[in-house]
Amino acid sequence: MAEVKTQKRPVIPKGPMRGRGMPVPKGMIKKGTLGRLLKLIFKHYKWRVIFALLCLAFTSIGGLVSTIYMEQLIRKVIMPALSIDSATGAMVGLTSELRKVLIGLVVMMVSVYSLVVLASFTYTRIMATVTQGTLYHLRTEMFEKMQTLPIKYFDTHAHGDIMSTYTNDTDATRQLIGQSLPTLLSSSLTLIASIVFMLTYSFWLFLVVLASTLVMTTTLKKIGGNSAKYMVAQQTSLAVEEGFVEEMMKGQKVVKVFTHEEKSKEDFDKLNEKLFKDSERAHIFGNILGPILGNIGNITYVLIAIVGGILFAKDVPNVGFRSLFTGDKVFGISVIVAFLGASRNFTQTVNQMSHQISMVAMGMAGASRVFTLMDEEPEKDEGYVTLVHAKRDENGELRETDERTGLWAWKHFHKADGTTTYTELRGDIVMDMVDFCYVPEKQVLTDVTLYAKPGQKIAFVGATGAGKTTITNLINRFYDIADGKIRYDGININKIRKSDLRRSLGIVLQDTNLFTGTVMDNIRYGRLDATDEECIAAAKLANADDFITRLPDGYNTMLTNNGANLSQGQRQLLSIARAEVADAPVMILDEATSSIDTRTEALVQDGMDKLMHGRTVFVIAHRLSTVRNSNAIMVLDHGKIIERGTHEQLLEQKGTYYQLYTGAFELE
C-alpha cells in the first residue's frame, strides 16, 4: 500500500458557505425581470398577445362611450326638447326629428357596447391561455434547469424554499401576467383617453383635475411605495416559513423523540410573526390607499360641479380642443355633465391602478425569484470521454457497438492526433494526494491517497465528519477536488463526462429515497431498460424478494410518501436491489446496512458478496463487523488516512482500528 503523504499545500476554496433560502438580488427584484418575462410571453404567444392587447385597448377606450353619449344626448336631444318655441311660446318637446336622433344615439351606443362585451370576452379567453401557458413553460424550464444544478446547490438551499418558488412565486407571477399588468395597461389607456376627452371639452375644469392628480400622485407614491415594499418582504418571509415547515414535517419523529415541540413552536412563532408583520403592513398600506384616493376623487367631483356651476352662471367662455375647432365657446350644461362623468372615470381608474401596485411588486418579486433559480450556475462538465457499449473484434480489439453486450468501454478522443481509443471499463480507481474543502479555510480531506483494483472491497472507517462520505462524493464528482488527481481505469475523471461517470457507479445511501410508483418501478430506477425478470433477479440477490411477494400486490404494490408503508430495512433492501439492477462495475455503499437488523444484514451481505466478482466496492460503515472481509480498510481521522490494511493487519498494529474493534474507542 502507498504511504500516507503528509506535506501540506494551500487550501483552494470550493463551494459557497452553507446558507438558508433563495438568494435575493439587491432591491429584492432582479434588474430586467419584467422585460425578460414579457420576452418569454411573446416568444410562445406573440400573435395571441397582440390580438388580446387590441381587444383590451378597445375595451378600455370603449368605457368612455357612456360619457360621450351622455354629452351628445343632452346637447342634441334633451336641451333642444326643453327649449321654447319662439313662435308658439311653448316647449318644443320630443319632435319626430329629435326621436330619430335619439334612436340613432341609442343604436350606436348599443352597438359599441356589444363590441366592447365581445372584445372583453375574447381578451379574457386569450389571456387565460397565455397566463397558464406561460406558467407551464416557466415550471418546465425551472424543473429542467434544476436537473442541471450541482448537488452543492441543494445542500445550501432549504428545500421548502425551493418548493416555494414552484408554488407561491409562480402564483404571484400568474397574478402579475393575468391581472396586474393587463389592469395597469388598460387603466393607462383609460387615463390617456380620459385626459384627451377632458381637454377636448374644457381646459378650465381640467385644471381642477390636474390639481387633484398631483395630490393623488403624492399619496400614491408615499403609501403605495410602502405597500409594495412590504408585499415583497411578505413574499420572502413566506418562502422562509415554508422552508421551516418542510423541515419540521420531515423531522417530525426527531422532534417528538427529543420533545422538541415547544422549541419548534417558538421558532415557528418567530417566523410566523415576521410574516404577519410584513403582511399586516403590506395590507394596511394597501387597504387605506383605496379609500383615500376614492375620497380625493369624490372631493374632485364636487369641486368640478362647483367650478362648472360658477363658470356657467358667470357665462365664462369655454375653452377646449372642441371649441378651438368648432368655435362653440358656450359653457353649457352638457359640458359640465360630460366632464363630471369623465373626471369620475379618471379618479376611479387611478384608484384601480393603486390596488395593483402592491400586486405588481409581489408578482415582480415572485418572477425575480423564479428567474434567480433559472439563472443559477449549472453543473459544469468539461468531460469528453464517454461510456459506450463495446465488443471485441476478431483481433481482440475493442469496438463500439449499439448492442447491449454487457461489455463497456471508455471512448477517448485524443485531440492531439485526432485518434480515438477504447479502454475497457473495469473499475480501477486511484486517488492520488487529493485535497478538498467545502468552504474556504476549512479543509475536509488532506493528501488522501488510495487505490482500488477491480473486484476489491475497500472500506472506510472513522468518526462522523472524518471525510468518509466526502471521498465517495468526489468519486461521483458531486464535488470537484481542490488538488491532486482521481483516475478511473487510468483516465483522469475530470476528462470523463459526468453522466457517463455516474452511469458506471451504483450507489446505496444511508437515507433511502423511494419514489411514487410501484415496487417494480423503484427497482427499475437503477436501469430504465431493465426487464421485469432482471428486476426480480436483483431483488432476489438483495434478499428483498421474500418481503415483496408478501405485499398486497407484490411487485405491483404502489409506494407513496417515500415508501412510508415499508420498514426502514425493507426500504434499504429495495435501494440495494435498485443498485444491483444497475449492474455497475463500481458499487458505493454509504452506511447501506445501518438500518437493517443483524439477520437481514447477513442476508444482504451474502447478496453483496455475490456481486463482488469483477466489481470494485467502496463501503462506509460504523459496524466494523461489516468490513472484516474487505481487501483494504482505510481509517480516517480529520480528513487524513491514518491507518490502512486488512482486518488482520490492522489488528496486529494495535492502533486506532484495534481500539475501535475491541471497544476501547467508539465511533462518534
Side-chain angles (χ1 to χ4, degrees):
M1 294 286 180
E3 295 295 325
V4 179
K5 304 296 189 288
T6 57
Q7 63 265 34
K8 297 268 183 97
R9 287 185 293 280
V11 176
I12 301 175
K14 291 283 182 181
M17 293 292 289
R18 182 173 178 83
R20 181 183 181 86
M22 295 284 287
V24 181
K26 183 178 179 182
M28 306 301 287
I29 297 176
K30 290 188 69 172
K31 185 178 180 181
T33 295
L34 181 59
R36 186 171 175 181
L37 183 61
L38 293 176
K39 185 178 179 180
L40 177 67
I41 295 172
F42 275 87
K43 175 183 176 182
H44 297 286
Y45 303 100
K46 179 180 178 180
W47 297 111
R48 292 188 187 187
V49 171
I50 291 175
F51 188 69
L53 292 178
L54 292 175
C55 292
L56 180 64
F58 185 80
T59 303
S60 302
I61 298 173
L64 290 171
V65 170
S66 61
T67 303
I68 296 174
Y69 280 110
M70 182 59 69
E71 188 274 336
Q72 294 282 314
L73 184 64
I74 293 174
R75 185 164 57 87
K76 293 183 178 181
V77 179
I78 297 177
M79 294 303 294
L82 296 177
S83 62
I84 303 299
D85 190 332
S86 57
T88 63
M91 186 181 299
V92 174
L94 194 61
T95 63
S96 58
E97 185 177 343
L98 291 178
R99 285 194 183 93
K100 291 179 181 179
V101 175
L102 176 61
I103 293 172
L105 289 174
V106 171
V107 170
M108 191 171 294
M109 183 180 292
V110 170
S111 300
V112 171
Y113 270 114
S114 297
L115 292 175
V116 167
V117 170
L118 180 61
S120 179
F121 174 78
T122 304
Y123 158 78
T124 303
R125 288 292 302 271
I126 292 176
M127 286 308 298
T129 301
V130 171
T131 302
Q132 296 304 323
T134 302
L135 294 187
Y136 165 80
H137 291 293
L138 273 178
R139 286 191 291 261
T140 299
E141 289 186 29
M142 272 196 297
F143 191 81
E144 289 177 352
K145 182 57 178 282
M146 196 172 70
Q147 303 310 305
T148 69
L149 297 179
I151 290 295
K152 70 179 181 181
Y153 176 84
F154 301 98
D155 288 343
T156 56
H157 292 76
H159 294 176
D161 201 356
I162 298 174
M163 282 302 303
S164 181
T165 307
Y166 281 90
T167 54
N168 296 319
D169 293 327
T170 53
D171 187 64
T173 306
R174 175 194 61 77
Q175 182 84 4
L176 178 68
I177 299 172
Q179 181 174 336
S180 300
L181 287 180
T183 299
L184 285 180
L185 180 59
S186 173
S187 299
S188 298
L189 293 173
T190 302
L191 286 181
I192 294 172
S194 297
I195 291 172
V196 171
F197 178 84
M198 288 186 288
L199 288 173
T200 299
Y201 280 91
S202 177
F203 289 165
W204 310 131
L205 295 181
F206 180 74
L207 293 177
V208 178
V209 176
L210 184 61
S212 171
T213 302
L214 294 176
V215 177
M216 295 175 79
T217 303
T218 303
T219 304
L220 194 59
K221 184 177 180 180
K222 182 66 176 175
I223 301 178
N226 285 326
S227 175
K229 179 177 70 174
Y230 287 114
M231 274 291 185
V232 174
Q234 170 191 292
Q235 196 75 359
T236 303
S237 298
L238 181 60
V240 173
E241 183 178 294
E242 286 197 355
F244 179 83
V245 171
E246 189 261 351
E247 287 181 356
M248 291 300 103
M249 289 175 65
K250 279 191 173 181
Q252 196 58 224
K253 290 182 180 179
V254 178
V255 171
K256 292 188 178 300
V257 166
F258 291 99
T259 62
H260 204 67
E261 292 90 343
E262 293 303 320
K263 177 60 177 172
S264 298
K265 290 178 184 177
E266 291 177 12
D267 293 340
F268 177 78
D269 286 343
K270 291 177 183 178
L271 298 177
N272 203 29
E273 181 71 16
K274 176 68 166 59
L275 176 60
F276 166 71
K277 290 295 184 184
D278 291 337
S279 301
E280 181 187 40
R281 292 168 182 168
H283 288 89
I284 284 176
F285 284 112
N287 290 339
I288 65 174
L289 183 60
I292 290 175
L293 293 179
N295 285 318
I296 293 175
N298 292 334
I299 294 172
T300 303
Y301 191 85
V302 173
L303 288 175
I304 290 174
I306 293 173
V307 173
I310 293 173
L311 294 176
F312 177 74
K314 298 294 185 180
D315 201 20
V316 176
N318 185 31
V319 180
F321 288 138
R322 192 184 66 165
S323 63
L324 293 177
F325 287 106
T326 64
D328 181 9
K329 296 185 178 181
V330 177
F331 211 112
I333 296 296
S334 63
V335 173
I336 299 175
V337 172
F339 208 94
L340 284 172
S343 67
R344 174 56 59 89
N345 199 15
F346 180 85
T347 54
Q348 285 179 345
T349 302
V350 173
N351 197 353
Q352 187 180 35
M353 292 180 70
S354 70
H355 287 296
Q356 298 302 322
I357 290 178
S358 57
M359 302 307 296
V360 168
M362 188 169 68
M364 289 288 287
S368 179
R369 283 167 52 84
V370 168
F371 289 134
T372 296
L373 188 151
M374 293 170 62
D375 290 339
E376 286 290 337
E377 281 293 325
E379 187 174 27
K380 294 181 179 179
D381 187 4
E382 298 175 354
Y384 54 88
V385 177
T386 58
L387 189 63
V388 298
H389 294 292
K391 64 180 180 181
R392 296 190 182 276
D393 59 17
E394 59 276 6
N395 298 320
E397 298 291 330
L398 287 173
R399 291 289 181 264
E400 184 177 353
T401 178
D402 294 331
E403 302 173 7
R404 183 178 181 84
T405 61
L407 180 64
W408 295 87
W410 299 111
K411 182 180 180 181
H412 191 170
F413 175 74
H414 302 274
K415 297 180 181 178
D417 55 10
T419 61
T420 300
T421 59
Y422 294 91
T423 303
E424 183 180 352
L425 172 60
R426 297 180 295 119
D428 188 333
I429 295 179
V430 176
M431 300 184 73
D432 183 19
M433 299 177 68
V434 170
D435 288 350
F436 175 74
C437 53
Y438 287 103
V439 296
E441 301 178 357
K442 189 176 181 181
Q443 191 144 336
V444 178
L445 297 179
T446 304
D447 290 334
V448 171
T449 298
L450 60 89
Y451 66 84
K453 296 298 181 182
Q456 286 188 332
K457 180 179 179 181
I458 308 299
F460 298 109
V461 174
T464 300
K468 305 184 298 297
T469 300
T470 298
I471 291 177
T472 60
N473 284 339
L474 297 181
I475 295 173
N476 277 291
R477 284 197 72 190
F478 289 154
Y479 294 88
D480 285 325
I481 60 177
D483 203 356
K485 281 184 172 56
I486 302 178
R487 292 185 176 87
Y488 194 152
D489 292 329
I491 305 170
N492 190 326
I493 64 171
N494 290 334
K495 296 180 180 179
I496 301 175
R497 188 183 297 168
K498 288 184 178 180
S499 58
D500 292 283
L501 171 67
R502 292 164 187 168
R503 200 192 327 168
S504 71
L505 304 170
I507 187 168
V508 180
L509 301 173
Q510 180 179 7
D511 298 324
T512 304
N513 285 293
L514 298 179
F515 301 95
T516 299
T518 65
V519 172
M520 184 70 75
D521 292 336
N522 274 275
I523 296 176
R524 188 177 282 116
Y525 205 87
R527 180 163 55 88
L528 296 180
D529 61 351
T531 64
D532 289 353
E533 291 73 19
E534 288 174 323
C535 293
I536 294 173
K540 289 180 177 178
L541 201 62
N543 295 307
D545 180 72
D546 182 55
F547 88 82
I548 293 175
T549 54
R550 287 187 279 110
L551 293 174
D553 296 313
Y555 283 87
N556 293 319
T557 300
M558 284 294 297
L559 301 180
T560 58
N561 194 22
N562 198 24
N565 54 330
L566 302 178
S567 69
Q568 180 63 32
Q570 290 172 333
R571 291 200 295 269
Q572 194 65 280
L573 289 174
L574 287 182
S575 182
I576 294 171
R578 176 194 295 166
E580 290 171 348
V581 82
D583 197 24
V586 177
M587 286 284 183
I588 298 174
L589 308 178
D590 189 351
E591 302 283 3
T593 59
S594 62
S595 302
I596 302 175
D597 60 81
T598 305
R599 177 179 175 278
T600 306
E601 180 182 342
L603 295 174
V604 172
Q605 196 63 55
D606 176 67
M608 293 306 300
D609 288 340
K610 296 175 184 176
L611 290 176
M612 285 292 293
H613 181 68
R615 289 180 174 83
T616 307
V617 179
F618 291 98
V619 178
I620 299 173
H622 275 92
R623 295 182 186 177
L624 299 186
S625 60
T626 63
V627 301
R628 292 184 57 177
N629 63 344
S630 300
N631 297 97
I633 300 172
M634 310 290 172
V635 182
L636 285 94
D637 183 42
H638 293 93
K640 297 180 180 179
I641 299 177
I642 59 173
E643 294 179 8
R644 67 180 76 205
T646 63
H647 173 72
E648 291 75 16
Q649 290 171 342
L650 293 177
L651 289 180
E652 288 177 5
Q653 293 178 19
K654 294 191 176 181
T656 300
Y657 182 82
Y658 174 82
Q659 293 173 318
L660 291 171
Y661 190 76
T662 57
F665 285 170
E666 291 186 2
L667 292 176
E668 297 177 357

